[in-house]
Amino acid sequence: MIMACQPHVDGHYYYYYNNNVCLSNLGVGGGASRGSTVGASSYSKPLNKSSSPPLKLIRQSGGGGAVVMASSGCNNNNGNNSKKMKTESFLRHVESLASFPSGAGKISRLNAVILGEALSSEENDIVLPSDDFSRQALVPSPQKYLEMYKRSVEDPAGFWADIASEFYWKEKWGQRVCSENLDVRKGNVKIEWFKGGITNICYNCLDRNIEAGLGDKVAIYWEANDPGVDATLTYSQLLQQVCQLANYLKDIGVKKGDAVIIYLPMLMELPIAMLACARIGAVHSVVFAGFSSDSLAQRIMDCKPKVVITSNAVKRGPKAIHLKDIVDAALDECAKSGISVDVCLTYENQSAMTRENTKWQDGRDIWWQDVVPKYPTKCEVEWVDAEDPLFLLYTSGSTGKPKGVLHTTGGYMVHTATTFKYAFDYKPSDVYWCTADCGWITGHSYVTYGPMLNGASVVVFEGAPTYPDSGRSWDIVDKYKVTIFYTAPTLVRSLMRDGNEYVTRYSRKSLRVLGSVGEPINPSAWRWFFNVVGDSRCPISDTWWQTETGGFMITPLPGAWPQKPGSATFPFFGVQPVIVDEKGVEIEGECSGYLCIKSSWPGAFRTLYGDHERYETTYFKPFPGYYFTGDGCS
């Protein structure tokens, strides 16, 4: 009989019955991008019953038997919403975390530290949440997680409908919350959530929060590349500037469904432009401001935007990048293929380049500052269906042609808001900083939409985190009293190499949750992030997800269960990960295979722009009935 389990640094979970150990593996590397390898999920069989006395416990908050998943709650293409699912083995691991073994001394091969009480070392396999942190956490225990997770997969329609009801809908969705077909053998792949529901994500990010009394709360703290230059916008001020740009776009002929290319650096005008497009139902496509003119031209030719929004230049560290020159070259290339753009709206970023030094094409190029501030600060909302497109985000394709990942409005809104809230244990008093650029999915979901749907105060940083030195990030943390800091392992390792002194010269006392995104974080970098940056008192949300998923898929929930360096731990609500073999058969036990997701989730992308066949071939044909992540497990 299994009495308890603990995760181990080598990726395994150890089940303890007195002094007997049964080995099981449940390590999933966080932050992986498509095509990478994550840790395996494999499971052991329970130990045989024994008459030995049970273990003493250092903490107990409930328990229970094995969990059996039943109906998916979503309608497949045959209208059958009672598809049976196998017992989800990983839930047995979560459930056993309800109690932790203790007793006569140290348990073999397992060492743990408690959050805030000691540093994590190579000898420490896990970090247990402290009682104080768990007590105030949104998900304070494995039992609460299990309760919510079980409902999210047994009754996804009810689970997500309850959450969606917290947002504003002009009209509620129809009888079906979710309709899906992931099996190419049964027809075209289709995913729909909240179809028929009429809403607007900009309204929910701004107007709804202002109506709730947050109008004077800071929405954006903007930090320039050069120290000492900054600005703020409250939610009311942000809405006014969004409306001005939205009115301008409408005036030049941009309407619902039209594409708008945004090639801006991390100025406040970047989230303003995204929200303005969403307000009028236009489909924004943000391109990282630094991509080549060829890459930009490819994206312009694919989506044929009505307007390109850019800046004349940006400074990253001591270097100025002439963005307008890149846009000009891209538009020239597009013109050779018969694709023209009528308007290039250009923001004058005076710290990087004056307008006098900016190359200009009369009749096409317009200065933002000359036109946008003249427009009214109120703009009517374009109400859209939940399944109307919100944005395109291009990812590099294996054939050389970028893939236009298309996300729709309602499901994405609900999923990103919910993942942000729980994965970071968000509180209204938090100040949140994600170092990602809005040119990537992280900047869409966790700089703009997810935080603002929760009414958060967000730091937006224009510059480089090592300029003027490697202490810049912690200077910003102290300046704005940042409480949640979300960044990439690449930056963590870079700052780690530069030495602790750049970190320890700053207080960082405001920090309470750290996060990792973009790639797996190796255990040594995880420990440095935890020990040095977080002073061993901040849990790390090591998130695994993709551009295509829209939001987090596998992630720790701070305060809910122990953390293991380098592991993203367990699936988020509604996410059902499985390992399949080359024939698409689900496998358990210690194994190597392919990471897939069965059943849809609200934030899933709906197609590749203009190429649904490629969408099906890439993501659903390899293993019919599943979304194939492109990741392997070993």
Side-chain angles (χ1 to χ4, degrees):
M1 181 178 181
I2 297 174
M3 297 305 300
C5 90
Q6 288 285 9
H8 190 267
V9 70
D10 60 10
H12 293 80
Y13 271 64
Y14 291 96
Y15 287 87
Y16 292 90
Y17 187 79
N18 289 347
N19 293 321
N20 298 319
V21 178
C22 179
L23 183 62
S24 178
N25 184 340
L26 187 65
V28 180
S33 58
R34 185 171 176 81
S36 63
T37 301
V38 297
S41 293
S42 47
Y43 318 98
S44 67
K45 295 181 179 179
L47 297 172
N48 293 328
K49 284 188 175 181
S50 167
S51 58
S52 302
L55 296 169
K56 295 180 180 178
L57 306 177
I58 57 172
R59 182 181 299 134
Q60 182 171 3
S61 49
V67 179
V68 180
M69 299 294 98
S71 169
S72 70
C74 288
N75 295 285
N76 61 26
N77 67 326
N78 295 319
N80 178 11
N81 65 351
S82 58
K83 180 174 64 177
K84 295 293 182 181
M85 294 182 285
K86 295 193 301 184
T87 298
E88 298 294 357
S89 300
F90 58 81
L91 290 178
R92 294 199 295 268
H93 292 62
V94 185
E95 203 161 51
S96 60
L97 285 172
S99 57
F100 301 107
S102 175
K106 178 179 174 181
I107 298 175
S108 175
R109 298 186 67 184
L110 178 68
N111 294 301
V113 296
I114 296 176
L115 189 73
E117 294 187 7
L119 300 177
S120 175
S121 69
E122 290 185 7
E123 289 72 37
N124 299 129
D125 307 322
I126 60 170
V127 177
L128 300 175
S130 65
D131 287 334
D132 286 344
F133 196 100
S134 291
R135 192 177 298 115
Q136 58 77 46
L138 294 174
V139 182
S141 67
Q143 286 71 34
K144 182 62 176 178
Y145 166 78
L146 267 178
E147 173 190 326
M148 296 177 72
Y149 183 85
K150 285 170 63 179
R151 188 186 177 212
S152 74
V153 295
E154 291 176 337
D155 178 24
F159 179 86
W160 289 111
D162 284 350
I163 293 175
S165 296
E166 298 172 8
F167 298 94
Y168 180 82
W169 299 82
K170 189 76 170 177
E171 296 178 22
K172 195 174 180 182
W173 52 90
Q175 289 185 331
R176 289 186 175 185
V177 173
C178 166
S179 178
E180 69 178 36
N181 172 46
L182 307 187
D183 193 335
V184 293
R185 298 167 300 187
K186 297 179 180 179
N188 291 336
V189 172
K190 182 185 74 170
I191 298 170
E192 292 179 341
W193 284 83
F194 311 111
K195 178 72 173 176
I198 306 300
T199 189
N200 183 284
I201 197 169
C202 175
Y203 184 92
N204 277 285
C205 284
L206 303 181
D207 307 64
R208 180 177 62 96
N209 284 317
I210 292 169
E211 290 164 7
L214 300 182
D216 293 332
K217 182 177 182 178
V218 173
I220 297 176
Y221 291 103
W222 180 70
E223 177 77 6
N225 177 74
D226 296 325
V229 180
D230 54 43
T232 61
L233 284 176
T234 66
Y235 270 91
S236 292
Q237 292 168 336
L238 177 58
L239 175 60
Q240 291 172 359
Q241 294 201 20
V242 165
C243 286
Q244 287 181 314
L245 179 58
N247 283 321
Y248 168 77
L249 292 175
K250 288 169 63 176
D251 198 32
I252 63 172
V254 178
K255 59 185 183 301
K256 178 182 177 181
D258 287 341
V260 174
I261 287 278
I262 302 172
Y263 188 73
L264 282 168
M266 288 297 281
L267 305 170
M268 289 191 290
E269 284 68 25
L270 177 45
I272 287 171
M274 295 167 67
L275 290 162
C277 290
R279 191 168 192 85
I280 63 174
V283 182
H284 63 71
S285 182
V286 182
V287 181
F288 173 67
F291 272 5
S292 69
S293 60
D294 287 343
S295 296
L296 179 57
Q298 282 183 316
R299 289 152 173 79
I300 293 172
M301 286 188 280
D302 192 61
C303 72
K304 301 175 181 59
K306 284 288 186 71
V307 59
V308 172
I309 303 177
T310 190
S311 174
N312 57 346
V314 64
K315 282 183 68 178
R316 291 200 176 101
K319 181 181 179 181
I321 302 171
H322 297 176
L323 301 178
K324 181 63 165 50
D325 290 352
I326 297 173
V327 172
D328 289 344
L331 293 177
D332 288 344
E333 187 66 28
C334 292
K336 294 175 184 177
S337 300
I339 305 297
S340 64
V341 176
D342 294 334
V343 177
C344 179
L345 181 65
T346 306
Y347 184 85
E348 182 187 4
N349 191 8
Q350 293 181 341
S351 64
M353 177 185 284
T354 63
R355 63 172 65 191
E356 290 77 18
N357 293 321
T358 304
K359 295 178 183 178
W360 206 249
Q361 181 174 313
D362 290 332
R364 183 197 69 186
D365 300 343
I366 304 292
W367 287 111
W368 176 308
Q369 287 93 330
D370 287 351
V371 293
V372 174
K374 297 178 181 178
Y375 279 82
T377 56
K378 292 183 179 180
C379 177
E380 291 299 316
V381 171
E382 180 72 38
W383 300 105
V384 301
D385 189 275
E387 284 300 320
D388 282 341
L390 173 63
F391 67 84
L392 285 172
L393 188 56
Y394 286 88
T395 65
S396 57
S398 58
T399 63
K401 180 184 177 183
K403 299 178 294 185
V405 171
L406 188 145
H407 282 282
T408 54
T409 302
Y412 175 84
M413 175 178 75
V414 173
H415 190 230
T416 53
T418 308
T419 49
F420 174 83
K421 175 181 176 180
Y422 287 105
F424 296 121
D425 188 47
Y426 172 72
K427 305 291 193 293
S429 58
D430 281 321
V431 175
Y432 167 80
W433 180 22
C434 171
T435 63
D437 192 284
C438 288
W440 314 114
I441 186 63
T442 306
H444 283 61
S445 300
Y446 301 112
V447 172
T448 304
Y449 291 119
M452 291 186 186
L453 286 165
N454 282 278
S457 295
V458 181
V459 174
V460 173
F461 177 42
E462 177 190 27
T466 55
Y467 178 77
D469 61 39
S470 295
R472 184 66 185 280
S473 294
W474 322 122
D475 178 55
I476 294 171
V477 166
D478 281 359
K479 179 176 180 178
Y480 298 108
K481 302 295 186 289
V482 171
T483 58
I484 304 171
F485 179 71
Y486 188 39
T487 193
T490 300
L491 177 59
V492 173
R493 287 190 288 267
S494 173
L495 298 177
M496 182 179 171
R497 286 191 298 269
D498 291 340
N500 294 359
E501 61 273 16
Y502 286 107
V503 183
T504 56
R505 71 170 64 157
Y506 298 96
S507 167
R508 296 160 287 109
K509 294 299 183 184
S510 60
L511 289 172
R512 68 175 196 88
V513 175
L514 304 175
S516 173
V517 60
E519 60 182 301
I521 184 169
N522 53 301
S524 61
W526 191 102
R527 291 190 185 92
W528 184 85
F529 199 26
F530 177 81
N531 290 334
V532 179
V533 175
D535 286 333
S536 76
R537 56 183 174 74
C538 301
I540 299 175
S541 290
D542 178 10
T543 59
W544 179 87
W545 60 299
Q546 301 172 320
T547 300
E548 294 87 346
T549 70
F552 303 150
M553 300 293 280
I554 302 174
T555 178
L557 301 183
W561 56 70
Q563 297 195 309
K564 179 168 75 70
S567 172
T569 67
F570 296 111
F572 192 74
F573 306 128
V575 177
Q576 300 179 62
V578 295
I579 309 299
V580 302
D581 63 18
E582 64 278 1
K583 296 181 181 178
V585 177
E586 292 183 28
I587 51 179
E588 296 185 1
E590 193 158 343
C591 63
S592 295
Y594 303 94
L595 178 60
C596 294
I597 310 296
K598 63 179 179 183
S599 296
S600 68
W601 60 99
F605 73 132
R606 303 307 198 246
T607 191
L608 294 176
Y609 181 70
D611 200 347
H612 196 74
E613 182 180 355
R614 187 182 184 189
Y615 169 75
E616 294 183 340
T617 300
T618 303
Y619 300 97
F620 298 97
K621 279 189 177 178
F623 304 105
Y626 300 92
Y627 165 74
F628 175 43
T629 66
D631 288 345
C633 294
S634 60

